[in-house]
Amino acid sequence: MTAATRTSWDPAVWRDKPTAHQPDWPDSCELARARLQLASAPPLTTPEDVRAVRDALAEVATGRAYVVQGGDCAEPFGVAARRGALAKDRILGVLAERISRAIDVPVLTIGRLAGQFAKPRSEPTEVVDGQVVPTFRGLAVNSPHPVAALRIPDARRMITAYRTARAVMRELRGMWVSHEALLLDYEEALVRTDPRTGSSYLASTHFPWIGERTRDPDGGHVAFLAGIDNPVGCKVGPNAVPDDVAALCAKLDPEREPGRLTLICRLGPRARTLLPPLVRAVREAGHPVVWMCDPMHANTRITSTGVKTRYLDDVVGEAAAFHETVNELGEWPGGLHLELAGEDVTECVGGSRVPDETALARRYTSLCDPRLNNEQALLVADEVSARAGR
Ligand code: PEP
Ligand code: CO
């Protein structure tokens, strides 16, 4: 989409496209009310800040900076959201400083914060304590409590999500934020016009991204994010072929602008083999993307007792493979995307606090995927530090 077509873009564009992972809201009046309320709510970000993040990511795309993005898989509501955000802000700052010192470029941080409230789920139901219940889809949609009635999507939750995001933004005082732009009823209602340029930007966050399950180049999520001025991300998983990635780049970065598009690769144990054809396809098509590594999402395992976890060795292994391979291909491995907690959780296996799977039960509080604790995140940062520089 060019600047000219972006001004004629309609935020409702996704409604007549295949759009996966949207809730079946049972009450259309509640939904309409929530959308109206969000549409008249104050923006959470300004066009100036969105532009600043895009400019900062342009520095990353051209190899003059590095970015660390991180936070919860699914953010909580209430005081836990605000407290958690400050703790995550702190650890992100520590990681950035450590990497910056090692590789000698500025490192910016972007939180998975103030909006990470909706989750794509592979299955419509899950078994909790022997009961089959509809899956938890993030606090903007339903409750994590494993009770069937509380798992029914409730559009009023989008208002609580917005209010929480607003409170988190206030608490952070200027930190840059991101989330998966999954729930398009929420995102559409938070599109605003930049009065200076007349074009649209997404005021729910600075840096929205498209998830692995919703990156269909002809789908609703891509059509939606194609029309906004924000820098955007897109996850790239092990099933992505070079043509898919080239098609995504064509839709999301038609003007080939550094900083506009970040490809967040989550490729798993085959990263070393899968990356070269993808990197070459993007280079041949002339898109100056940020190459970012998410070493978490293709390394999820279920223990023999049914606990979702990740092994630090797998995470470190993919981070190392990504940085080495992208470097060898002559591109800049520009960023790291982590699910991490500010607290000393025991959700991933590795490091001194979680030597084996039996230690996972001590402090497992994630609402969705397992997060790294501080020690584990620092070990990943050290691995990256050893391999990211030129
Ligand atoms: C996530 O980032 O929490 C997520 C669901 O990732 P992906 O889309 O890569 O699976
Ligand atoms: Co996750």
Side-chain angles (χ1 to χ4, degrees):
M1 198 173 289
T2 62
T5 48
R6 269 213 296 272
T7 47
S8 61
W9 166 87
D10 177 355
V13 62
W14 60 277
R15 292 187 179 274
D16 57 11
K17 306 233 180 277
T19 304
H21 293 276
Q22 301 308 291
D24 245 334
W25 304 110
D27 186 333
S28 53
C29 290
E30 285 294 3
L31 175 60
R33 244 196 303 270
R35 289 180 47 213
L36 272 176
Q37 212 171 321
L38 290 171
S40 60
L44 298 176
T45 54
T46 64
E48 291 74 26
D49 284 350
V50 161
R51 168 52 64 184
V53 179
R54 192 161 161 163
D55 290 347
L57 286 169
E59 289 292 291
V60 178
T62 47
R64 291 193 291 261
Y66 189 87
V67 54
V68 178
Q69 183 180 16
D72 287 330
C73 183
E75 247 180 311
F77 276 174
V79 71
R82 301 199 298 279
R83 238 186 253 139
L86 289 179
K88 281 181 259 291
D89 186 25
R90 246 190 323 270
I91 181 66
L92 286 171
V94 172
L95 296 176
E97 213 178 293
R98 197 142 160 152
I99 296 173
S100 182
R101 218 179 309 122
I103 68 174
D104 204 24
V105 296
V107 178
L108 59 129
T109 61
I110 303 181
R112 279 177 67 115
L113 289 169
Q116 185 52 28
F117 298 116
K119 299 309 302 171
R121 303 306 298 268
S122 320
E123 302 296 333
T125 58
E126 62 188 337
V127 180
V128 188
D129 301 330
Q131 300 277 347
V132 180
V133 287
T135 31
F136 170 57
R137 295 182 174 277
L139 288 176
V141 178
N142 61 6
S143 163
H145 293 293
V147 173
L150 298 177
R151 291 283 172 98
I152 296 171
D154 180 348
R156 290 171 302 181
R157 285 180 162 274
M158 289 195 285
I159 303 298
T160 316
Y162 168 83
R163 289 193 180 129
T164 308
R166 200 166 170 203
V168 168
M169 294 294 274
R170 277 205 201 106
E171 199 84 26
L172 290 172
R173 294 199 217 144
M175 185 195 182
W176 291 341
V177 297
S178 64
H179 65 256
E180 179 177 349
L182 178 73
L183 190 57
L184 294 187
D185 282 307
Y186 180 83
E187 305 300 345
E188 180 193 333
L190 286 162
V191 171
R192 299 287 181 269
T193 302
D194 176 350
R196 213 172 40 90
T197 62
S199 60
S200 299
Y201 81 102
L202 185 59
S204 68
T205 192
H206 299 108
F207 177 47
W209 79 82
I210 300 171
E212 167 65 5
R213 294 161 188 81
T214 50
R215 62 170 167 75
D216 172 3
D218 299 316
H221 290 84
V222 170
F224 179 78
L225 287 196
I228 52 159
D229 273 353
N230 306 53
V232 299
C234 185
K235 293 286 193 91
V236 176
N239 298 328
V241 296
D243 280 355
D244 294 338
V245 178
L248 283 165
C249 289
K251 291 256 162 92
L252 294 169
D253 177 38
E255 293 177 90
R256 296 174 170 76
E257 286 175 275
R260 161 66 178 171
L261 178 60
T262 296
L263 294 177
I264 310 170
C265 302
R266 27 89 87 222
L267 299 167
R270 291 185 299 136
R272 243 178 245 282
T273 318
L274 295 171
L275 266 168
L278 302 179
V279 171
R280 287 194 192 104
V282 173
R283 183 158 59 206
E284 271 159 31
H287 295 279
V289 302
V290 170
W291 288 102
M292 180 184 272
C293 172
D294 165 1
M296 313 292 294
H297 282 90
N299 287 310
T300 310
R301 306 191 197 187
I302 308 289
T303 69
S304 56
T305 55
V307 180
K308 206 196 235 191
T309 192
R310 288 161 174 152
Y311 274 69
L312 182 63
D313 283 352
D314 295 342
V315 172
V316 165
E318 182 171 345
F322 173 90
H323 286 80
E324 277 176 11
T325 309
V326 174
N327 255 331
E328 281 160 21
L329 292 162
E331 300 291 333
W332 173 241
L336 181 65
H337 181 117
L338 298 177
E339 283 184 342
L340 51 77
E343 303 78 33
D344 251 337
V345 296
T346 59
E347 298 169 4
C348 298
V349 180
S352 64
R353 270 181 70 75
V354 200
D356 55 36
E357 290 182 0
T358 60
L360 290 172
R362 283 188 208 142
R363 192 171 180 191
Y364 196 117
T365 56
S366 176
L367 286 170
C368 195
D369 288 343
R371 303 159 298 172
L372 301 172
N373 60 31
N374 289 3
E375 182 198 24
Q376 293 166 337
L378 286 165
L379 289 168
V380 181
D382 285 345
E383 189 70 24
V384 163
S385 298
R387 289 164 211 273
R390 293 202 190 271

